[in-house]
Amino acid sequence: MKEVNAKNAKNQFGQLLESAQRGPVRVTRRGRSAGVLMSEEQYQRLRGIAWDRLAATVEAMQKQSADNGMTDEVLAELLVDDR
């Protein structure tokens, strides 16, 4: 991954944007990673992957809950506020 320090990123932002179209660019500040600049296409792809993983996790949790006898009625009883 290409790497550039924050000062150069600021001074050469146009070139940085062009580089990000080819692949992610790590921006550092004081020698430490401060962020990553990437193309919109790369961002949307990563975002889609994250949502797909979340949906799969929720689906697995729903199946496990159903397999263990969790129904809407049982859930409603558990959530009743008995104060």
Side-chain angles (χ1 to χ4, degrees):
M1 178 183 312
K2 183 175 179 175
E3 190 170 291
V4 62
N5 67 45
K7 182 178 179 181
N8 287 340
K10 177 183 172 187
N11 293 334
Q12 301 170 350
F13 191 69
Q15 291 174 335
L16 183 64
L17 284 175
E18 288 177 23
S19 291
Q21 297 306 309
R22 294 186 290 278
V25 179
R26 177 178 288 118
V27 179
T28 61
R29 181 179 293 145
R30 297 186 185 107
R32 301 170 105 179
S33 184
V36 175
L37 183 67
M38 65 181 72
S39 69
E40 175 73 17
E41 180 183 342
Q42 291 166 331
Y43 171 74
Q44 292 298 339
R45 186 171 41 242
L46 284 174
R47 188 172 157 204
I49 290 169
W51 279 111
D52 291 346
R53 286 183 182 170
L54 177 60
T57 300
V58 169
E59 187 176 318
M61 290 172 63
Q62 287 172 330
K63 183 181 180 330
Q64 183 179 7
S65 295
D67 290 348
N68 289 317
M70 181 63 68
T71 63
D72 288 341
E73 292 77 21
V74 171
L75 180 60
E77 286 180 32
L78 291 171
L79 295 176
V80 169
D81 187 1
D82 291 333
R83 287 188 231 179

